[in-house]
Amino acid sequence: VINTKINAMMLSALFFLCSRLAGPDVFAASASPALLKAKQEAESKGYVFFTSRDEIISRAKKEGKIRALTGAGLELSLPPTTEAFKKKYPFIDLQAQYVGGTDASQRFLLEVKAGAAKDWDIARAATDAYGDWLPHLWKVDILGMAEHGVLDIPLQMIDPKNRNVVALASRFSVVVYNKNLVSPAQVPKSWEDMLKPEHKGRKFAADIHPTEVAGLVPGWGLEKTLDYARKIAAQEPIWFRASAARPLAALAAGEIPILLFGANYGSTVRAQRKDPLGVIQYTTLEPVPVRITVEEAILTTSKNPHAALLWLEFMASAEAQSLIDQHEPLVASVHRKGSAVEQALRGKKLSVVSWDDHARSQQWIAKITEAYGFPRAE
């Protein structure tokens, strides 16, 4: 038994030594024909492709560190996911930092464009500037490697067109109401219910920035969504522009009976957990507007791109997604089976703002804003 263990250790050491001396060719030599073909196809399109996860880990060990930025949606889960990653990969020194808000994201993008952000490996490719980010992201075929099992990432979490961006979270819109102000009969059963005369004249609140309304376009089409936006504006809602926390607090205080647009599932459940009287309730209307978010990718200037690949893979894993659900809460990817969002939406008709809709979503938002009648002096 002892001799067998010694031989196994010697073989393992010999393989590691050979891999260090021979470089990536030793990994490629053992790849299947399908993997080699995928690698050739990826490289012909300008992408980097690894045929072996062992190769990625070997290169990551040489790098030994990661500097990652993440955006809104992963702030609270960052400490536990960082700790879990370090346990899995103790040879990598990970420093992950949260950068929240549109302004901060835009400032960092300007730094990247100016070549002043070379110390960072991973950044969030924010939805509202997605096209501007793409030229600054490492062209590595994450999708291809996931398709062939080199990386363990659900395929739907990866941009199918650009192939190098991973969306780590999801949000879906809910209609929130104060149960002391809204009777069971008044709770809407459909989006059209909010157009009834009983809801006219500052009887509900809606966010001026129509992100959630734009989420209806994949399910309804643009023209129907614009028509609905005009009818909502005619209902004379209470308009606001702020994070969900403020209108949810106003709703809990009895200042707003219904919050139609402006709160998602995660923020609502978080508010419910802080509501001792249990007045905050919500309903989910179909089609349910769902959008992917927290899009992350590796910068072209990354000094530790292989370690960064392991971070993206880990954040898409069931372990990390569960931690995100526990600490954010409830914003993990709809495409990770078992996540809170995936479970909450099972069996429901969805309107998903997909990867293909990224470029169009800002146009939708602009048209819906115009349909609302904004900007205007009031």
Side-chain angles (χ1 to χ4, degrees):
V1 174
I2 294 173
N3 288 338
T4 301
K5 289 183 177 180
I6 292 173
N7 289 337
M9 291 172 63
M10 290 178 64
L11 286 172
S12 177
L14 181 61
F15 174 79
F16 179 74
L17 179 61
C18 289
S19 67
R20 299 279 288 194
L21 295 174
D25 290 342
V26 71
F27 297 102
S30 61
S32 68
L35 266 175
L36 292 175
K37 182 180 179 182
K39 178 179 174 68
Q40 291 171 355
E41 290 177 352
E43 291 176 347
S44 69
K45 298 174 183 177
Y47 287 92
V48 175
F49 188 103
F50 299 103
T51 59
S52 167
R53 193 170 184 281
D54 288 337
E55 180 182 358
I56 297 172
I57 292 176
S58 176
R59 290 171 179 252
K61 285 181 176 179
K62 295 178 183 179
E63 294 164 351
K65 61 182 179 180
I66 310 172
R67 301 295 179 266
L69 287 177
T70 188
L74 298 186
E75 178 183 11
L76 300 176
S77 63
L78 204 54
T81 52
T82 298
E83 182 181 354
F85 179 83
K86 288 180 177 180
K87 286 182 179 179
K88 187 176 181 68
Y89 300 105
F91 52 85
I92 297 177
D93 173 26
L94 167 65
Q95 292 185 21
Q97 181 177 323
Y98 168 79
V99 176
T102 302
D103 291 344
S105 177
Q106 291 175 342
R107 283 196 300 271
F108 184 68
L109 177 58
L110 292 175
E111 291 179 13
V112 170
K113 289 182 175 181
K118 294 181 179 179
D119 292 334
W120 295 100
D121 300 302
I122 294 177
R124 181 184 176 189
T127 308
D128 55 2
Y130 194 67
D132 293 330
W133 275 104
L134 293 175
H136 305 284
L137 305 179
W138 186 34
K139 287 195 69 174
V140 57
D141 191 1
I142 296 176
L143 179 61
M145 289 186 286
E147 287 174 335
H148 290 273
V150 178
L151 293 174
D152 182 14
I153 302 176
L155 302 184
Q156 299 94 326
M157 292 176 71
I158 308 167
D159 184 342
K161 181 179 179 181
N162 296 293
R163 307 178 73 87
N164 59 344
V165 185
V166 182
L168 300 175
S170 299
R171 291 186 174 89
F172 70 89
S173 182
V174 295
V175 177
V176 193
Y177 62 94
N178 183 313
K179 73 173 186 178
N180 293 338
L181 302 177
V182 180
S183 69
Q186 292 176 314
V187 176
K189 305 298 188 297
S190 69
W191 294 108
E192 287 77 8
D193 281 352
M194 293 305 299
L195 303 178
K196 293 178 179 179
E198 65 195 68
H199 293 302
K200 185 169 184 176
R202 299 181 66 81
K203 299 293 179 60
F204 65 89
D207 192 343
I208 290 174
H209 192 66
T211 303
E212 287 83 10
V213 188
L216 289 167
V217 175
W220 276 358
L222 182 58
E223 290 308 314
K224 180 177 178 178
T225 305
L226 291 176
D227 180 64
Y228 184 74
R230 295 185 192 100
K231 291 176 179 177
I232 286 296
Q235 290 288 79
E236 302 173 358
I238 303 166
W239 295 109
F240 71 91
R241 182 69 185 112
S243 66
R246 188 179 300 174
L248 284 170
L251 184 140
E255 299 170 11
I256 298 173
I258 299 176
L259 178 55
L260 179 61
F261 294 114
N264 59 62
Y265 175 57
S267 61
T268 300
V269 172
R270 188 182 304 131
Q272 283 184 320
R273 293 174 179 176
K274 299 177 181 179
D275 175 20
L277 300 178
V279 300
I280 299 175
Q281 301 295 318
Y282 71 89
T283 185
T284 306
L285 303 182
E286 299 181 40
V288 186
V290 183
R291 57 192 175 94
I292 56 175
T293 185
V294 190
E295 305 91 332
E296 298 209 340
I298 303 167
L299 294 167
T300 55
T301 53
S302 169
K303 298 174 183 176
N304 312 289
H306 308 91
L309 273 177
L310 296 179
W311 168 248
L312 290 180
E313 180 190 45
F314 175 76
M315 289 300 288
S317 70
E319 179 182 1
Q321 292 283 299
S322 177
L323 290 170
I324 291 170
D325 270 340
Q326 290 175 38
H327 295 275
E328 292 303 336
L330 311 178
V331 298
S333 175
V334 66
H335 299 305
R336 170 54 76 177
K337 187 172 178 59
S339 72
V341 170
E342 187 269 334
Q343 293 183 61
L345 294 178
R346 285 178 188 173
K348 296 186 181 296
K349 184 178 180 180
L350 308 181
S351 177
V352 182
V353 180
S354 67
W355 286 105
D356 290 337
D357 297 324
H358 261 59
R360 296 190 291 267
S361 62
Q362 291 307 303
Q363 299 172 11
W364 297 343
I365 288 172
K367 289 180 180 294
I368 294 167
T369 302
E370 184 180 352
Y372 274 167
F374 298 118
R376 59 189 187 216
E378 65 200 56

